[in-house]
Amino acid sequence: MSHTQRIVEPVIVAVVISNLIGHLRRTLLTITAIAAGLASLIFLWGFNDGLHRNMLSNFQDAIIGSIQIHRQGFFEHPRLSLYLSAPERVIEALETARLPHWSRRLETFALATSEKTTEGVMLIGMEAEREAQVTQLAQRIGNGRFLQAGDDYSLILGATTAKNLRVDLGDPIVIVGYDRFGALVAEEFTLVGIITSGEMGLDRGMALTSLRALQEMLDMSGQITGIVLRVADDRLDEIAESLSLKLAELDLEVMPWSEMFPVVQEWITLHNGFLYLFVGIVLFIVIAGELNTLWLSMLERTRDFGILMAIGTARRQIGLMLLLEAALLGVIGSLLGILLGIGVILLTNQTGIDLSVLLGSTSRFYVDPVIHPQLNLDHLGMTVISILSASLLAGIYPAWRAVKLQPVEAIRNG
Amino acid sequence: MDTTITQSIISVRDLSKCYWIGKVPFPALNRVNLEIYDNDFTVLAGRSGSGKSTLLNIVGALESADTGEVVVDNQNILQMSADQRTQFRLQTIGFVFQAYNLIQVLTAQENVAYVCRLQGKSKLESLEIAAHWLDAVGLGELGSRRPNQLSGGQQQRVAVARALATNPKIVLADEPTANLDTVTAQKLVCLLQKLHDDFNTTFLISSHDPDVKNASSRLIKLSDGHVIKRWDEALPPADPTQLSCPIKNLSLSQRLRRLFEGNPAQ
């Protein structure tokens, strides 16, 4: 009997295909519903991933980079006494690891004083010539210019800070701070650029100057408090872990951006969570739609199933027919959905989706007004598998009910 | 027609079956005993509700019984599992139903070929067998039509071809002429009789159609679930003229062509 059962499966496939073609409108409607559901999900994931990628890229490009290396505890309590004791060894490790995109920084809190008022700022001394390798700060200058090699006491302020201090390009600004021993130090700087980013974190409370000028002011020649790196997103964790191991003996903290600002990662996780919820809702709709189709199809064909059983079709084969039907609808719908979804992503990736109407300049949170959807294979795979599973799941109940049919009753009542 | 009693192919002993609608019992068969002999053309007669269809369904392993024993082709079918009954139906029984019961999404040829494929034959072989049997019932030209493109008589002939395509030992036909007009019904009876003569298959037919009864070699009459009359001796051969069937001495395909000639819709 098993031999017979094995070789008769093609006839089951033939009946299923005949049935799908025989009820073409219903078949096309179901396939279209699955394809549209899947394409929508793929596109939504693409949009979501494009938005997150854009946001993360902008977030890292703004000022923090991908990874920062400090003395242990500096990020939590940024004191000058926690300067990097052997920066050359860190740089050597970076060079060995073929990580060329790094820049040194010296950071401290200070007061910026104009002729009119005073404002607290995070004062960052940075290498003008290397900064472009780790951030896109230079692109954020809305007025004036970015730092240049050879700058002395040039200063860049965020737009809000400059506005609060009521200063403009060329105005003198006195920076007052403490050196690493707690002694008061002060120096006059000239405002050469104003950052107009739209992000509150940059536009307010940030003051940038050249590393050399700040080292002179703080009497910390050759000293830095940290090194900023830019690495590819997909290698971030691996590189951070590898550097931690390499630099373990130097008592340093190697912090990827997600560790420094977990709220950003949490926001993305939350945002993805909403999308998972949405995926669930769409899956429910797909299951309900396909279940409805298959259930109606089963009810319509109750008599047929009775006949098929009467003339020698096994119950297992009847169940298989409905499962196969569900699987075929799912596979064909999914293939079309994948093509459609990826097609829309590729198209919108090129053209971009302009959301400038929705995003005010002050509430963008590192998101560009034009989003370029991205294809994330993990999300694509998960979504396709979910839809396929949902399609199969939708076939289980009708198949189970069909298997339970009694031939005579099915023929009589079908 | 060979009317010699050979051996019993269906043996029914003390068979009872009762349907329940809620708590109300509806006895369908009550201690029925009968024998059907190999190669016979037996008709179960009786009014509607007499138990004919129930008896056919039980003999065909489509339904279970409450008590009794049914041995078909030396197999006690009431003790079979569901899978065994399926295989039994596939290998031993050919069914012809009152309402044709063809699969609407398959063509006539595919409907017939389907059972052959269930038996494990290849697609090509199954289609060849189907074509042969469609030719045998006079529908060789209409194999590519779907059931809704065929008349009732044609559909029933497809059903007959399907019933015979598996080379069954027994053909069970439940009121095969009930949905047909008189002329088409007579022609179908002729067809069944000729097929029985040519292929020596046992036919057990439930019907209250006089033409069908006239064509039978044995007649069993049921009433209220009991066998009330039984002609154990073979009946005289049916009068072909009464069946509009004066074609007995022609070859099968000639007879069929003649039988349905001039009225392909039947």
Side-chain angles (χ1 to χ4, degrees):
Chain A
M1 190 183 294
S2 61
H3 177 64
T4 303
Q5 283 176 353
R6 192 169 56 251
I7 60 177
V8 298
E9 304 311 343
V11 75
I12 302 302
V13 177
V15 171
V16 167
I17 291 171
S18 297
N19 184 58
L20 290 177
I21 294 170
H23 299 93
L24 199 57
R25 192 164 58 179
R26 186 173 63 200
T27 302
L28 289 178
L29 273 174
T30 310
I31 286 174
T32 305
I34 294 171
L38 181 58
S40 306
L41 287 179
I42 290 173
F43 173 72
L44 270 175
W45 273 120
F47 181 84
N48 194 57
D49 291 332
L51 184 138
H52 289 168
R53 187 163 172 171
N54 175 250
M55 193 182 80
L56 286 180
S57 181
N58 286 346
F59 182 62
Q60 294 171 66
D61 285 345
I63 197 157
I64 67 163
S66 309
I67 295 172
Q68 291 193 8
I69 302 171
H70 318 111
R71 269 273 286 284
Q72 199 66 251
F74 178 84
F75 183 76
E76 193 72 23
H77 302 289
R79 297 190 299 264
L80 287 173
S81 56
L82 292 175
Y83 62 90
L84 272 181
S85 52
E88 65 288 346
R89 289 185 61 185
V90 177
I91 289 165
E92 191 185 326
L94 297 180
E95 298 288 343
T96 310
R98 294 184 181 173
L99 298 170
H101 305 302
W102 52 265
S103 182
R104 286 171 282 221
R105 286 183 184 172
L106 181 58
E107 298 179 19
T108 187
F109 289 115
L111 289 173
T113 306
S114 67
E115 288 180 353
K116 310 270 180 10
T117 184
T118 297
E119 185 98 353
V121 292
M122 167 58 80
L123 182 61
I124 304 175
M126 52 180 56
E127 295 178 281
E129 60 278 17
R130 293 197 68 91
E131 189 60 29
Q133 294 187 25
V134 293
T135 69
Q136 299 294 315
L137 264 174
Q139 318 292 324
R140 305 271 180 162
I141 301 295
N143 199 2
R145 65 170 174 83
F146 190 62
L147 299 168
Q148 293 172 348
D151 270 353
D152 267 340
Y153 288 92
S154 301
L155 192 72
I156 292 171
L157 290 176
T160 309
T161 305
K163 187 180 169 189
N164 291 346
L165 288 171
R166 282 173 270 171
V167 291
D168 211 336
L169 295 177
D171 287 348
I173 294 163
V174 174
I175 300 289
V176 180
Y178 294 95
D179 68 11
R180 61 186 152 140
F181 304 111
L184 198 63
V185 289
E187 198 64 67
E188 184 180 294
F189 289 75
T190 303
L191 186 64
V192 297
I194 295 174
I195 295 171
T196 315
S197 67
E199 274 96 38
M200 201 168 66
L202 281 180
D203 289 357
R204 182 166 193 173
M206 198 66 71
L208 313 176
T209 187
S210 74
L211 176 63
R212 192 174 54 80
L214 191 54
Q215 285 172 333
E216 267 183 29
M217 174 185 159
L218 297 171
D219 195 18
M220 291 180 71
S221 180
Q223 303 293 340
I224 56 172
T225 52
I227 294 175
V228 181
L229 282 88
R230 191 72 162 94
V231 299
D233 287 342
D234 56 351
R235 293 192 60 208
L236 180 72
D237 293 333
E238 168 212 336
I239 289 171
E241 199 176 327
S242 154
L243 285 175
S244 282
L245 288 171
K246 278 184 185 165
L247 303 171
E249 60 183 36
L250 295 179
D251 189 29
L252 302 177
E253 54 189 17
V254 179
M255 304 182 79
W257 65 265
S258 53
E259 200 175 319
M260 290 184 282
F261 297 95
V263 67
V264 176
Q265 185 62 60
E266 284 163 8
W267 186 86
I268 288 173
T269 305
L270 179 69
H271 204 233
N272 281 342
F274 282 126
L275 208 60
Y276 282 121
L277 191 66
F278 189 77
V279 169
I281 292 169
V282 172
L283 283 179
F284 178 77
I285 293 169
V286 167
I287 289 178
E290 199 181 342
L291 181 63
N292 181 51
T293 302
L294 292 171
W295 181 245
L296 285 177
S297 169
M298 200 281 278
L299 289 180
E300 273 178 24
R301 287 184 293 155
T302 298
R303 183 184 180 83
D304 282 358
F305 290 141
I307 298 164
L308 290 174
M309 284 181 182
I311 61 177
T313 310
R315 289 163 190 273
R316 180 187 62 83
Q317 292 172 313
I318 298 287
L320 195 64
M321 278 183 194
L322 275 161
L323 284 179
L324 205 58
E325 211 169 295
L328 271 177
L329 289 171
V331 167
I332 296 170
S334 296
L335 283 175
L336 290 175
I338 291 169
L339 289 177
L340 187 63
I342 291 178
V344 173
I345 286 181
L346 292 179
L347 182 71
T348 50
N349 179 270
Q350 295 298 312
T351 61
I353 298 172
D354 191 350
L355 298 178
S356 51
V357 178
L358 302 173
L359 294 170
S361 62
T362 55
S363 60
R364 278 190 239 146
F365 196 65
Y366 301 103
V367 176
D368 287 338
V370 179
I371 306 296
H372 296 269
Q374 301 280 330
L375 193 61
N376 177 316
L377 290 180
D378 288 344
H379 288 153
L380 176 70
M382 182 208 69
T383 310
V384 171
I385 288 170
S386 302
I387 289 280
L388 276 174
S389 308
S391 301
L392 266 180
L393 206 62
I396 288 176
Y397 182 64
W400 180 74
R401 288 299 297 264
V403 163
K404 295 286 174 193
L405 290 172
Q406 295 298 323
V408 173
E409 285 172 21
I411 293 171
R412 192 181 294 145
N413 305 325
Chain B
M1 187 186 302
D2 179 10
T3 55
T4 308
I5 295 174
T6 49
Q7 63 181 77
S8 167
I9 193 165
I10 299 171
S11 177
V12 176
R13 295 274 171 271
D14 292 330
L15 184 68
S16 295
K17 171 79 178 178
C18 184
Y19 294 109
W20 292 82
I21 298 179
K23 291 182 178 175
V24 184
F26 288 88
L29 294 173
N30 194 353
R31 298 182 69 83
V32 170
N33 289 281
L34 55 85
E35 301 287 331
I36 306 293
Y37 298 99
D38 205 5
N39 295 339
D40 261 6
F41 192 94
T42 307
V43 171
L44 290 173
R47 289 181 190 166
S48 190
S50 60
K52 307 187 297 292
S53 296
T54 303
L55 182 58
L56 276 192
N57 288 339
I58 293 173
V59 169
L62 286 173
E63 270 194 280
S64 60
D66 296 335
T67 58
E69 184 183 75
V70 179
V71 176
V72 180
D73 192 29
N74 298 320
Q75 300 172 79
N76 190 339
I77 59 170
L78 297 182
Q79 291 180 354
M80 288 178 173
S81 67
D83 283 344
Q84 286 171 329
R85 286 202 299 272
T86 302
Q87 278 302 306
F88 167 78
R89 290 195 295 269
L90 179 62
Q91 306 297 347
T92 311
I93 307 288
F95 285 101
V96 179
F97 301 95
Q98 176 179 339
Y100 329 132
N101 287 352
L102 301 176
I103 304 301
Q104 296 297 315
V105 294
L106 301 181
T107 64
Q109 191 174 9
E110 287 167 344
N111 263 284
V112 181
Y114 176 80
V115 284
C116 302
R117 296 199 71 191
L118 282 180
Q119 283 188 321
K121 296 186 174 73
S122 70
K123 183 178 178 180
L124 189 65
E125 186 184 1
S126 300
L127 289 173
E128 281 173 1
I129 292 170
H132 164 77
W133 280 105
L134 284 174
D135 197 41
V137 298
L139 294 176
E141 308 294 313
L142 304 182
S144 60
R145 290 200 187 174
R146 294 188 191 283
N148 61 6
Q149 297 168 318
L150 297 172
S151 68
Q154 288 169 335
Q155 287 188 59
Q156 196 60 299
R157 282 147 68 192
V158 175
V160 170
R162 180 178 66 185
L164 288 163
T166 55
N167 194 23
K169 293 196 171 165
I170 302 161
V171 172
L172 300 178
D174 188 8
E175 303 279 6
T177 59
N179 283 12
L180 304 177
D181 62 74
T182 310
V183 176
T184 310
Q186 285 177 342
K187 289 179 177 177
L188 186 83
V189 173
C190 268
L191 171 65
L192 293 177
Q193 205 179 26
K194 304 308 171 212
L195 292 170
H196 167 257
D197 290 351
D198 285 12
F199 297 101
N200 288 329
T201 302
T202 305
F203 276 69
L204 178 58
I205 302 171
S206 81
S207 180
H208 52 259
D209 181 340
D211 283 338
V212 179
K213 285 190 268 186
N214 286 338
S216 66
S217 57
R218 293 179 196 283
L219 187 65
I220 296 169
K221 192 165 184 184
L222 292 175
S223 178
D224 296 331
H226 296 273
V227 174
I228 57 167
K229 261 185 189 174
R230 180 176 11 215
W231 287 266
D232 285 334
E233 292 302 318
L235 295 170
D239 178 357
T241 55
Q242 286 185 2
L243 298 172
S244 309
C245 195
I247 51 177
K248 191 150 175 143
N249 295 322
L250 301 176
S251 73
L252 178 66
S253 54
Q254 284 173 322
R255 284 180 303 193
L256 288 165
R257 268 195 289 276
R258 181 79 63 83
L259 188 61
F260 294 98
E261 204 168 53
N263 191 2
Q266 291 173 347

